[in-house]
Amino acid sequence: MTVVCLENIYGGPGGASILNGINISFGSGLTGLVGPNGAGKTTLLRMIMGLLAPTTGAVYVNDISLVELTLRDRARRITYLPQNGPVHWAMQVRDLVRLGRYASASSVAEDEAAVENTMQACAVDRLASRTINTLSGGERSRVLLARALCAQTPVVLVDEPSNALDPAQQHRIMGILHARAQAGTSVLCALHDLPLAARYCDRLVFLNEGIIGEDGAPGKVLTAKSFTAAYGLAFDKRGYLVDDK
Amino acid sequence: MKVGLVGFASLLIMGTTSLMLGDLSYSPAQFFDALTHQGDPARMLVFWQIRLPRTLLALFVGAGLGASGAALQGYLRNPLADPGIVGISATAGLGAVAALYFGAAAASFWVLPAAAMAGAGVAAAVLLLLARDEASITSVILGGVALSSLSVALTALLMNLSPNPWALSEIAYWLMGSVADRSFNELAFAAPLVVLGIGILGLSGAALNALSLGEDTARSLGVSPARTGQLVVTGTLLCVGSGVAVSGAIGFIGLAAPHLLRPFLGAKPGALIVPSAFAGAFLLLGADMLARLLGGPGTPLYLGVTTALLGAPFFLFLVVRHRRAFP
């Protein structure tokens, strides 16, 4: 079932031409958004969240245009975890995760239960009373992910969550997102690590120069041809990298 | 609740001490007599007409400065921010100095505070314009610095053009800040505005917590950074504008109050606003008691001087500690 639908999206920050005619829909499951730096992945995620307005086109969430929703209504439908998001104060982990329930219309008890459950799912419950500045990179990433996931929205947007993490931490993060997607959430995740994307994503979408390229199951779209088209790198018959396109 | 009780108890003890100490000291019995309108009429007069308004004014002005400091640090996400950084103190000061310079302050008690509030209002209007779009924080800081510099320059110009040494000294003494020799008129002007201001700042608390994660994340959580900026600027206008209007420019209370509380209450900006009001009241009253005890009857020590003398080394300590924590 389609949850997020983008129709003829153009634009970028300050009106720049980053996205050049995006038409795509997402349903439940883990969708990986891949492509080179500058392809427009972050811009696309920010437009779906409503942090950037497209020059033309429209974003629909459950058939409701984003512009018809207030900030709070959007927050009840969509969660966004930016890449390397800042934490300006040395906040306690539990307080930080609880911020995910900011727009919640639930009771305090339900909010607290969501916070506890998500902290357990992200394996940060034992860090609950620590402050964020005392955590390792992997722990910090899981805490920020828990902040995002505890909102329990039907749509989750994540921008390169495994960036700068060791392989074990990358798998933990992707495992958590995969589990959430399996439970029926629409997770859209911008990624650079293609093996990781192939391992965890149900669907991969290539984005290059603001245009959607190959789109489908990882086994179908992760080919030398699509890799060359997206990144400008070519391979010989043995699969070794040969040179620039 | 616990924080409120501790804060209230601390202020009660500090306030009672302030009422009892000074050039004319009160024993507990004399204090109780004065409080219940009994005993020596001179002591009663000093208690009700001098000591009580001074103490209460210090509490309210300090509370406004503390709460504004906490909200501004949260909004600007800068531990070194205080009400001075956004220019509201300096423009309020300019308004008051203009009233003194043109002699309008002598016409009625209300002219000087009203002129100070008008000055602060101009700064707040400029800041509200700057805070209305997305990339607001840098604009607010830069706009505040520009407003502050301009106000300091215009204040210096008025002092430069001062018609006589008496007018100059009046302006200079006023700028040093004091709650001495104030009446219930000043209290009636400032207290309601400070209470309203703290209430408005308190409304921004949850949004300030969310803003700790950056503007993008805060907006994705449903926070409007522009509306948060409006609440913080308006609350600061009421708290700081009214404080400067009745007591002159007093620095460092807004900076220090939230920092003193963070080790005990954590770093969540929204949770620091009301406790910082208590801490600001405590600090300003303490500074005023110190000014009273150190300065003699012939050589009054001004409150702004005391807070700056204590606050500047504290500021340096913060810079060094911050550098160690985030090299």
Side-chain angles (χ1 to χ4, degrees):
Chain A
M1 191 182 80
T2 295
V3 180
V4 177
C5 178
L6 286 84
E7 279 184 9
N8 199 31
I9 296 283
Y10 284 81
S17 301
I18 304 293
L19 301 180
N20 298 301
I22 302 283
N23 288 288
I24 197 163
S25 300
F26 304 99
S28 61
L30 177 50
T31 303
L33 192 59
V34 294
N37 291 325
K41 300 186 294 293
T42 299
T43 301
L44 187 65
L45 294 180
R46 294 184 77 219
M47 279 198 186
I48 297 173
M49 187 65 240
L51 300 172
L52 272 178
T55 317
T56 58
V59 177
Y60 296 90
V61 181
N62 289 329
D63 296 325
I64 305 171
S65 172
L66 210 57
V67 293
E68 291 170 23
L69 297 171
T70 63
L71 279 177
R72 198 166 275 256
D73 286 337
R74 287 177 198 174
R76 286 179 184 150
R77 289 166 170 80
I78 314 170
T79 295
Y80 173 56
L81 180 63
Q83 183 187 359
N84 302 325
V87 180
H88 288 282
W89 300 104
M91 290 172 77
Q92 220 175 47
V93 166
R94 188 188 304 278
D95 286 339
L96 202 154
V97 173
R98 200 181 278 129
L99 288 177
R101 304 293 294 179
Y102 181 86
S104 161
S106 311
S107 68
V108 174
E110 283 174 311
D111 286 343
E112 286 306 310
V115 169
E116 291 303 323
N117 292 339
T118 316
M119 284 204 299
Q120 279 173 20
C122 295
V124 294
D125 46 332
R126 66 184 175 81
L127 308 172
S129 53
R130 296 257 302 268
T131 51
I132 188 82
N133 57 334
T134 64
L135 305 183
S136 70
E139 289 168 337
R140 185 182 192 278
S141 296
R142 293 205 310 279
V143 167
L144 292 177
L145 184 61
R147 190 282 300 164
L149 295 182
C150 87
Q152 297 180 330
T153 52
V155 181
V156 173
L157 310 172
V158 194
D159 197 353
E160 298 189 26
S162 57
N163 198 16
L165 295 180
D166 69 45
Q169 293 291 346
Q170 291 181 3
H171 281 281
R172 281 183 97 168
I173 294 277
M174 291 307 292
I176 294 164
L177 287 173
H178 186 253
R180 180 52 70 95
Q182 290 295 103
T185 303
S186 303
V187 182
L188 180 58
C189 179
L191 280 169
H192 275 305
D193 191 319
L194 296 179
L196 206 62
R199 165 82 175 75
Y200 288 100
C201 293
D202 304 306
R203 174 186 170 193
L204 277 187
V205 177
F206 273 89
L207 188 67
N208 194 16
E209 295 180 354
I211 296 166
I212 301 285
E214 296 280 338
D215 177 1
K220 192 181 131 216
V221 300
L222 275 179
T223 60
K225 189 181 148 206
S226 62
F227 198 79
T228 303
Y231 298 98
L233 297 168
F235 302 88
D236 63 17
K237 285 180 183 170
R238 297 170 303 160
Y240 290 110
L241 192 64
V242 286
D243 205 345
D244 287 349
K245 190 163 52 172
Chain B
M1 186 55 122
K2 195 173 147 195
V3 173
L5 282 177
V6 171
F8 189 74
S10 309
L11 292 186
L12 200 65
I13 293 167
M14 194 74 161
T16 309
T17 313
S18 161
L19 290 169
M20 290 169 77
L21 291 183
D23 291 335
L24 184 68
S25 293
Y26 289 70
S27 68
Q30 288 167 331
F31 173 79
F32 189 75
D33 280 348
L35 190 67
T36 52
H37 294 278
Q38 289 168 6
D40 183 2
R43 281 189 177 277
M44 230 161 58
L45 189 76
V46 169
F47 182 90
W48 283 100
Q49 299 303 319
I50 298 173
R51 210 60 74 72
L52 190 61
R54 177 178 190 156
T55 299
L56 290 176
L57 200 64
L59 289 174
F60 277 100
V61 171
L65 290 170
S68 305
L72 282 168
Q73 287 179 11
Y75 175 62
L76 300 174
R77 283 155 264 158
N78 187 336
L80 303 181
D82 84 335
I85 206 172
V86 289
I88 288 183
S89 305
T91 49
L94 174 64
V97 167
L100 290 170
Y101 176 82
F102 292 108
S108 156
F109 157 76
W110 300 101
V111 172
L112 190 141
M117 280 306 284
V122 170
V126 173
L127 294 174
L128 285 172
L129 275 176
L130 294 171
R132 71 192 162 152
D133 61 0
E134 275 178 49
S136 53
I137 288 181
T138 311
S139 316
V140 169
I141 293 180
L142 293 176
V145 169
L147 283 167
S148 199
S149 305
L150 183 65
S151 303
V152 169
L154 289 172
T155 303
L157 178 68
L158 290 179
M159 290 172 79
N160 186 172
L161 299 176
S162 186
N164 55 60
W166 295 280
L168 181 63
S169 68
E170 191 184 16
I171 292 173
Y173 283 136
W174 191 87
L175 283 174
M176 285 192 226
S178 175
V179 286
D181 304 325
R182 302 302 197 262
S183 69
F184 280 100
N185 279 343
E186 278 90 350
L187 191 65
F189 180 86
L193 296 178
V194 167
V195 171
L196 183 64
I198 294 173
I200 291 173
L201 293 174
L203 292 178
S204 70
L208 292 180
N209 293 339
L211 270 172
S212 303
L213 301 178
E215 287 204 21
D216 261 10
T217 303
R219 287 177 67 204
S220 77
L221 286 168
V223 170
S224 161
R227 185 175 172 273
T228 311
Q230 287 162 6
L231 290 173
V232 171
V233 169
T234 309
T236 303
L237 161 69
L238 294 172
C239 285
V240 178
S242 64
V244 175
V246 294
S247 64
I250 294 168
F252 291 106
I253 299 291
L255 173 76
H259 280 285
L260 292 174
L261 295 173
R262 278 193 190 99
F264 307 102
L265 302 179
K268 230 169 46 163
L272 287 172
I273 294 174
V274 173
S276 293
F278 283 114
F282 188 88
L283 287 176
L284 193 64
L285 189 56
D288 183 50
M289 284 163 67
L290 200 65
R292 253 188 286 165
L293 293 174
L294 294 181
T299 50
L301 193 57
Y302 282 86
L303 189 49
V305 179
T306 321
T307 58
L309 278 174
L310 295 173
F314 179 71
F315 185 78
L316 198 60
F317 162 74
L318 285 181
V319 172
V320 171
R321 199 178 71 164
H322 190 69
R323 198 165 155 262
R324 277 195 199 138
F326 303 97

PDB file of all heavy atoms in Angstrom, chain B residues 51-70:
ATOM      1  N   ARG B  51      14.042  49.178  52.820  1.00  0.00           N
ATOM      2  CA  ARG B  51      14.584  47.820  52.771  1.00  0.00           C
ATOM      3  C   ARG B  51      13.690  46.862  51.974  1.00  0.00           C
ATOM      4  O   ARG B  51      14.168  46.105  51.139  1.00  0.00           O
ATOM      5  CB  ARG B  51      14.758  47.330  54.209  1.00  0.00           C
ATOM      6  CG  ARG B  51      15.863  46.339  54.495  1.00  0.00           C
ATOM      7  CD  ARG B  51      17.244  46.788  54.174  1.00  0.00           C
ATOM      8  NE  ARG B  51      17.880  47.745  55.031  1.00  0.00           N
ATOM      9  CZ  ARG B  51      18.327  47.526  56.253  1.00  0.00           C
ATOM     10  NH1 ARG B  51      18.157  46.379  56.832  1.00  0.00           N
ATOM     11  NH2 ARG B  51      18.955  48.457  56.915  1.00  0.00           N
ATOM     12  N   LEU B  52      12.377  46.902  52.227  1.00  0.00           N
ATOM     13  CA  LEU B  52      11.474  45.942  51.581  1.00  0.00           C
ATOM     14  C   LEU B  52      11.373  46.152  50.059  1.00  0.00           C
ATOM     15  O   LEU B  52      11.535  45.189  49.302  1.00  0.00           O
ATOM     16  CB  LEU B  52      10.092  45.985  52.231  1.00  0.00           C
ATOM     17  CG  LEU B  52       9.128  44.876  51.811  1.00  0.00           C
ATOM     18  CD1 LEU B  52       9.671  43.500  52.182  1.00  0.00           C
ATOM     19  CD2 LEU B  52       7.755  45.068  52.449  1.00  0.00           C
ATOM     20  N   PRO B  53      11.128  47.419  49.592  1.00  0.00           N
ATOM     21  CA  PRO B  53      11.080  47.562  48.133  1.00  0.00           C
ATOM     22  C   PRO B  53      12.400  47.203  47.455  1.00  0.00           C
ATOM     23  O   PRO B  53      12.414  46.596  46.388  1.00  0.00           O
ATOM     24  CB  PRO B  53      10.741  49.043  47.917  1.00  0.00           C
ATOM     25  CG  PRO B  53      10.734  49.702  49.237  1.00  0.00           C
ATOM     26  CD  PRO B  53      10.759  48.648  50.298  1.00  0.00           C
ATOM     27  N   ARG B  54      13.520  47.542  48.109  1.00  0.00           N
ATOM     28  CA  ARG B  54      14.836  47.219  47.541  1.00  0.00           C
ATOM     29  C   ARG B  54      15.020  45.705  47.419  1.00  0.00           C
ATOM     30  O   ARG B  54      15.446  45.197  46.382  1.00  0.00           O
ATOM     31  CB  ARG B  54      15.918  47.823  48.448  1.00  0.00           C
ATOM     32  CG  ARG B  54      17.323  47.498  47.995  1.00  0.00           C
ATOM     33  CD  ARG B  54      18.349  48.156  48.880  1.00  0.00           C
ATOM     34  NE  ARG B  54      19.665  48.027  48.278  1.00  0.00           N
ATOM     35  CZ  ARG B  54      20.676  48.841  48.519  1.00  0.00           C
ATOM     36  NH1 ARG B  54      20.534  49.851  49.335  1.00  0.00           N
ATOM     37  NH2 ARG B  54      21.843  48.653  47.930  1.00  0.00           N
ATOM     38  N   THR B  55      14.664  45.003  48.480  1.00  0.00           N
ATOM     39  CA  THR B  55      14.829  43.537  48.482  1.00  0.00           C
ATOM     40  C   THR B  55      13.914  42.891  47.432  1.00  0.00           C
ATOM     41  O   THR B  55      14.358  42.050  46.640  1.00  0.00           O
ATOM     42  CB  THR B  55      14.503  42.980  49.885  1.00  0.00           C
ATOM     43  OG1 THR B  55      15.426  43.559  50.804  1.00  0.00           O
ATOM     44  CG2 THR B  55      14.592  41.476  49.928  1.00  0.00           C
ATOM     45  N   LEU B  56      12.663  43.298  47.431  1.00  0.00           N
ATOM     46  CA  LEU B  56      11.715  42.696  46.475  1.00  0.00           C
ATOM     47  C   LEU B  56      12.107  43.018  45.039  1.00  0.00           C
ATOM     48  O   LEU B  56      12.013  42.165  44.148  1.00  0.00           O
ATOM     49  CB  LEU B  56      10.284  43.183  46.763  1.00  0.00           C
ATOM     50  CG  LEU B  56       9.654  42.660  48.057  1.00  0.00           C
ATOM     51  CD1 LEU B  56       8.286  43.292  48.276  1.00  0.00           C
ATOM     52  CD2 LEU B  56       9.520  41.139  48.015  1.00  0.00           C
ATOM     53  N   LEU B  57      12.563  44.253  44.823  1.00  0.00           N
ATOM     54  CA  LEU B  57      12.958  44.638  43.466  1.00  0.00           C
ATOM     55  C   LEU B  57      14.152  43.799  42.995  1.00  0.00           C
ATOM     56  O   LEU B  57      14.175  43.323  41.851  1.00  0.00           O
ATOM     57  CB  LEU B  57      13.300  46.137  43.432  1.00  0.00           C
ATOM     58  CG  LEU B  57      13.258  46.758  42.052  1.00  0.00           C
ATOM     59  CD1 LEU B  57      11.856  46.720  41.462  1.00  0.00           C
ATOM     60  CD2 LEU B  57      13.752  48.207  42.091  1.00  0.00           C
ATOM     61  N   ALA B  58      15.122  43.613  43.903  1.00  0.00           N
ATOM     62  CA  ALA B  58      16.288  42.788  43.537  1.00  0.00           C
ATOM     63  C   ALA B  58      15.825  41.376  43.172  1.00  0.00           C
ATOM     64  O   ALA B  58      16.305  40.780  42.198  1.00  0.00           O
ATOM     65  CB  ALA B  58      17.277  42.741  44.694  1.00  0.00           C
ATOM     66  N   LEU B  59      14.864  40.849  43.931  1.00  0.00           N
ATOM     67  CA  LEU B  59      14.369  39.492  43.653  1.00  0.00           C
ATOM     68  C   LEU B  59      13.705  39.412  42.275  1.00  0.00           C
ATOM     69  O   LEU B  59      13.992  38.510  41.484  1.00  0.00           O
ATOM     70  CB  LEU B  59      13.362  39.061  44.733  1.00  0.00           C
ATOM     71  CG  LEU B  59      13.932  38.761  46.123  1.00  0.00           C
ATOM     72  CD1 LEU B  59      12.802  38.488  47.110  1.00  0.00           C
ATOM     73  CD2 LEU B  59      14.866  37.562  46.060  1.00  0.00           C
ATOM     74  N   PHE B  60      12.828  40.379  41.979  1.00  0.00           N
ATOM     75  CA  PHE B  60      12.105  40.320  40.702  1.00  0.00           C
ATOM     76  C   PHE B  60      13.039  40.576  39.513  1.00  0.00           C
ATOM     77  O   PHE B  60      12.972  39.870  38.505  1.00  0.00           O
ATOM     78  CB  PHE B  60      10.935  41.320  40.692  1.00  0.00           C
ATOM     79  CG  PHE B  60       9.711  40.775  41.368  1.00  0.00           C
ATOM     80  CD1 PHE B  60       9.391  41.120  42.668  1.00  0.00           C
ATOM     81  CD2 PHE B  60       8.892  39.862  40.711  1.00  0.00           C
ATOM     82  CE1 PHE B  60       8.280  40.601  43.300  1.00  0.00           C
ATOM     83  CE2 PHE B  60       7.780  39.325  41.334  1.00  0.00           C
ATOM     84  CZ  PHE B  60       7.463  39.700  42.643  1.00  0.00           C
ATOM     85  N   VAL B  61      13.911  41.590  39.640  1.00  0.00           N
ATOM     86  CA  VAL B  61      14.828  41.890  38.524  1.00  0.00           C
ATOM     87  C   VAL B  61      15.750  40.699  38.286  1.00  0.00           C
ATOM     88  O   VAL B  61      15.962  40.262  37.141  1.00  0.00           O
ATOM     89  CB  VAL B  61      15.635  43.176  38.822  1.00  0.00           C
ATOM     90  CG1 VAL B  61      16.733  43.373  37.789  1.00  0.00           C
ATOM     91  CG2 VAL B  61      14.711  44.394  38.841  1.00  0.00           C
ATOM     92  N   GLY B  62      16.272  40.133  39.369  1.00  0.00           N
ATOM     93  CA  GLY B  62      17.159  38.968  39.246  1.00  0.00           C
ATOM     94  C   GLY B  62      16.432  37.777  38.628  1.00  0.00           C
ATOM     95  O   GLY B  62      16.987  37.069  37.789  1.00  0.00           O
ATOM     96  N   ALA B  63      15.175  37.581  39.029  1.00  0.00           N
ATOM     97  CA  ALA B  63      14.395  36.458  38.481  1.00  0.00           C
ATOM     98  C   ALA B  63      14.218  36.621  36.972  1.00  0.00           C
ATOM     99  O   ALA B  63      14.384  35.669  36.202  1.00  0.00           O
ATOM    100  CB  ALA B  63      13.036  36.390  39.168  1.00  0.00           C
ATOM    101  N   GLY B  64      13.909  37.834  36.548  1.00  0.00           N
ATOM    102  CA  GLY B  64      13.730  38.102  35.120  1.00  0.00           C
ATOM    103  C   GLY B  64      15.016  37.864  34.344  1.00  0.00           C
ATOM    104  O   GLY B  64      15.011  37.253  33.260  1.00  0.00           O
ATOM    105  N   LEU B  65      16.128  38.324  34.911  1.00  0.00           N
ATOM    106  CA  LEU B  65      17.417  38.145  34.226  1.00  0.00           C
ATOM    107  C   LEU B  65      17.786  36.664  34.145  1.00  0.00           C
ATOM    108  O   LEU B  65      18.248  36.182  33.102  1.00  0.00           O
ATOM    109  CB  LEU B  65      18.513  38.918  34.969  1.00  0.00           C
ATOM    110  CG  LEU B  65      18.448  40.447  34.884  1.00  0.00           C
ATOM    111  CD1 LEU B  65      19.435  41.089  35.850  1.00  0.00           C
ATOM    112  CD2 LEU B  65      18.738  40.928  33.457  1.00  0.00           C
ATOM    113  N   GLY B  66      17.568  35.928  35.243  1.00  0.00           N
ATOM    114  CA  GLY B  66      17.914  34.501  35.263  1.00  0.00           C
ATOM    115  C   GLY B  66      17.095  33.699  34.259  1.00  0.00           C
ATOM    116  O   GLY B  66      17.641  32.917  33.475  1.00  0.00           O
ATOM    117  N   ALA B  67      15.780  33.931  34.265  1.00  0.00           N
ATOM    118  CA  ALA B  67      14.901  33.185  33.348  1.00  0.00           C
ATOM    119  C   ALA B  67      15.233  33.519  31.897  1.00  0.00           C
ATOM    120  O   ALA B  67      15.286  32.628  31.034  1.00  0.00           O
ATOM    121  CB  ALA B  67      13.443  33.511  33.641  1.00  0.00           C
ATOM    122  N   SER B  68      15.487  34.808  31.609  1.00  0.00           N
ATOM    123  CA  SER B  68      15.821  35.203  30.237  1.00  0.00           C
ATOM    124  C   SER B  68      17.130  34.565  29.796  1.00  0.00           C
ATOM    125  O   SER B  68      17.253  34.110  28.659  1.00  0.00           O
ATOM    126  CB  SER B  68      15.992  36.719  30.131  1.00  0.00           C
ATOM    127  OG  SER B  68      14.873  37.367  30.594  1.00  0.00           O
ATOM    128  N   GLY B  69      18.103  34.547  30.712  1.00  0.00           N
ATOM    129  CA  GLY B  69      19.399  33.944  30.367  1.00  0.00           C
ATOM    130  C   GLY B  69      19.223  32.485  29.986  1.00  0.00           C
ATOM    131  O   GLY B  69      19.756  32.019  28.977  1.00  0.00           O
ATOM    132  N   ALA B  70      18.439  31.740  30.794  1.00  0.00           N
ATOM    133  CA  ALA B  70      18.236  30.313  30.522  1.00  0.00           C
ATOM    134  C   ALA B  70      17.535  30.120  29.171  1.00  0.00           C
ATOM    135  O   ALA B  70      17.922  29.268  28.367  1.00  0.00           O
ATOM    136  CB  ALA B  70      17.415  29.686  31.632  1.00  0.00           C
TER     137      ALA B  70
END
